[in-house]
Amino acid sequence: MAGAAGGVGQTGVTEVYTAASAIAIPTIRTVAADLAARADFDLDSIADLRMAVDDTCTRLVRLAACNATLSCSFAVRVERIEVTAEVDVNRMMDPLPRGSFSWWVLRCLADEVTALVLPGEAGQGGRVCIILVKQALSAGLL
Amino acid sequence: MSSSVSPTGTEHGDYAHLAALQRRYAELPATDPERQRVREQLISGYLPVAEHLARRFAGRGESLEDLAQVATIGLINAVDRFEPDRGANFFSFAIPTITGELRRYFRDHGWSTKVPRRLKDLHLDIRSSQTQLSQQLGRAPRPSEIADQLEIPMSEVIEGLQAGEAYRSSSLDEMLGEQANTTLGEFVGDLDDELAIIEDREALRPLLAQLPPRDRTILALRFFRQLTQTQIAEQVGISQMHVSRVLSQTLGFLRERMDTSD
């Protein structure tokens, strides 16, 4: 882990690199929830971010090439956190097809969701990336 | 012996011979070596009752073997304390005794890791402050707002929130004690309109049908009605933390099964 966001109002970037394995996911989502709590996110937003990161990482781990590294970066900004999670893949595939249930769920959990597919140089394989933006306060419809 | 147990518990059928044994057990003087043998026969005879009750508490984070053991302890207590000449039915005495033992076990072991007493108390303070502030603010509170209300440093709130994650509130106070709002079932009965936006809804629909109704309602309120967890907690009558756990579990369940159809 590199860098660490400190007290309330403090911004910064925390990066976590792990093997692209399901075993790492509880650690990663805990980091996400902890950063959100320290950035004074409301408890709904903390829980949503935790779930969104869990979902994102699970998705990427399933697509990951053998021995790939899962890279997650958490940028704590004023009243929001930007999460970028990426992994090398053998097969180019949209990690979040528009209209899929996962896409819908992530759109509900995060304020912005972007999925990127970056082709590798040799034509085969490449890198997939999911970017989430989560605001500090949840606004529900009621 | 069959392992089926009538929940109303009549001392007929499989258990009829045990009722006679029960009277014998009560009559035998404490020093009689026969007494120990009868006691063992009673315990093993009624064991299916304990196992049945243990299974009812399964799926809440504790292993079935552990639960069966706890239920057996409850059964042994029931066998030892039951007084047949008082005219009561053994089951009406044993079932609450065993269930009580299981509840106590969940209350004491609801924490998945060893959490110091101080953190458990802190966690409870945070939860009650959270409920209060949610009502005042009309949204979930921030950690700093909880810190202000409890007059403790924010670092302690964060510590308490983390401790809360170690609490698998399979806690029966929540699982059994809380009264979920049943009218919500009708409210979310038909999801067809909401599902129209989901392209893989045909794969999703049978999975949603497999969910317990309350979990399906919570999922629908969050992802189709777009309520926050705090709003759902209030409507369904459970804590926000509990809503969060239900949602995580339900999403995990759906994700696992949806992906095989990708």
Side-chain angles (χ1 to χ4, degrees):
Chain A
M1 202 184 293
V8 181
Q10 205 163 326
T11 58
V13 178
T14 300
E15 291 177 328
V16 182
Y17 301 96
T18 66
S21 152
I23 299 169
I25 296 175
T27 307
I28 301 170
R29 65 173 184 237
T30 301
V31 170
D34 188 63
L35 289 171
R38 288 176 200 286
D40 209 19
F41 276 40
D42 74 50
L43 299 190
D44 282 339
S45 299
I46 297 172
D48 282 351
L49 181 66
R50 175 197 299 275
M51 264 190 274
V53 166
D54 188 69
D55 215 75
T56 297
C57 291
T58 305
R59 197 137 286 277
L60 293 181
V61 161
R62 289 198 181 154
L63 296 174
C66 218
N67 298 321
T69 297
L70 174 63
S71 314
C72 296
S73 126
F74 303 92
V76 179
R77 310 292 184 208
V78 177
E79 291 290 289
R80 69 175 203 281
I81 290 181
E82 294 162 16
V83 182
T84 308
E86 47 191 309
V87 78
D88 284 334
V89 295
N90 287 327
R91 216 153 45 95
M92 298 305 288
M93 203 173 146
D94 185 349
L96 220 51
R98 185 163 279 269
S100 67
F101 181 61
S102 310
W103 163 82
W104 179 251
V105 162
L106 273 181
R107 276 195 30 171
C108 295
L109 293 175
D111 296 283
E112 288 171 45
V113 183
T114 316
L116 299 173
V117 183
L118 313 162
E121 298 204 343
Q124 285 242 314
R127 204 160 169 79
V128 296
C129 172
I130 296 176
I131 302 166
L132 309 171
V133 178
K134 183 69 185 163
Q135 304 289 344
L137 285 182
S138 288
L141 305 173
L142 201 71
Chain B
M1 177 178 287
S2 149
S3 65
S4 70
V5 175
S6 148
T8 50
T10 50
E11 281 181 355
H12 296 300
D14 285 348
Y15 300 104
H17 69 290
L18 291 174
L21 210 56
Q22 202 105 52
R23 280 188 293 278
R24 174 141 181 73
Y25 181 56
E27 284 158 15
L28 284 167
T31 49
D32 196 320
E34 168 81 4
R35 200 176 139 89
Q36 188 55 29
R37 236 187 12 258
V38 172
R39 181 173 183 259
E40 278 162 23
Q41 271 180 296
L42 281 170
I43 292 165
S44 64
Y46 283 123
L47 209 52
V49 181
E51 285 165 355
H52 172 84
L53 291 170
R55 269 196 300 279
R56 280 188 18 200
F57 285 71
R60 291 166 186 170
E62 301 293 339
S63 79
L64 187 55
E65 295 92 274
D66 287 353
L67 294 177
Q69 259 179 26
V70 173
T72 306
I73 293 168
L75 171 64
I76 293 170
N77 287 338
V79 165
D80 286 346
R81 289 191 214 133
F82 181 60
E83 295 171 36
D85 50 357
R86 288 200 168 186
N89 174 314
F90 176 68
F91 287 98
S92 63
F93 178 72
I95 290 173
T97 306
I98 297 170
T99 311
E101 198 69 39
L102 285 162
R103 279 177 196 270
R104 205 162 24 252
Y105 179 76
F106 271 95
R107 197 163 58 229
D108 296 344
H109 296 257
W111 294 84
S112 57
T113 49
K114 287 271 175 226
V115 175
R117 181 81 241 166
R118 181 184 70 83
L119 281 181
K120 291 185 190 178
D121 290 342
L122 180 58
H123 172 71
L124 290 176
D125 287 346
I126 289 173
R127 276 179 60 164
S128 63
S129 161
Q130 177 184 356
T131 311
Q132 225 180 310
L133 285 172
S134 296
Q135 279 169 2
Q136 277 172 29
L137 300 166
R139 61 162 170 81
R142 296 174 183 256
S144 63
E145 292 163 334
I146 295 173
D148 284 349
Q149 206 211 22
L150 295 176
E151 298 179 339
I152 56 174
M154 177 152 153
S155 58
E156 272 191 47
V157 175
I158 290 171
E159 206 184 350
L161 289 171
Q162 285 166 342
E165 288 306 319
Y167 184 61
R168 20 170 152 105
S169 188
S170 336
S171 139
L172 292 198
D173 296 333
E174 256 191 12
M175 294 305 255
L176 301 178
E178 64 194 17
Q179 298 297 316
N181 186 345
T182 44
T183 58
L184 281 169
E186 302 151 32
F187 171 43
V188 194
D190 188 5
L191 285 174
D192 276 354
D193 290 347
E194 289 84 352
L195 281 173
I197 193 160
I198 311 286
E199 275 165 23
D200 42 7
R201 60 184 169 275
E202 293 316 321
L204 185 61
R205 207 168 274 153
L207 296 175
L208 291 178
Q210 285 177 42
L211 295 173
R214 196 199 54 183
D215 295 1
R216 186 169 55 234
T217 299
I218 290 173
L219 185 87
L221 290 173
R222 180 68 191 90
F223 295 112
F224 297 112
R225 300 276 193 238
Q226 314 264 337
L227 300 191
T228 64
Q229 295 187 7
T230 297
Q231 291 165 336
I232 297 169
E234 200 175 314
Q235 287 215 12
V236 181
I238 61 179
S239 72
Q240 177 267 336
M241 285 193 69
H242 194 188
V243 169
S244 181
R245 268 187 300 272
V246 168
L247 285 173
S248 304
Q249 276 169 17
T250 308
L251 283 183
F253 168 87
L254 295 174
R255 190 165 55 208
E256 217 166 88
R257 284 155 185 84
M258 289 292 283
D259 273 14
T260 55
S261 59
D262 267 0

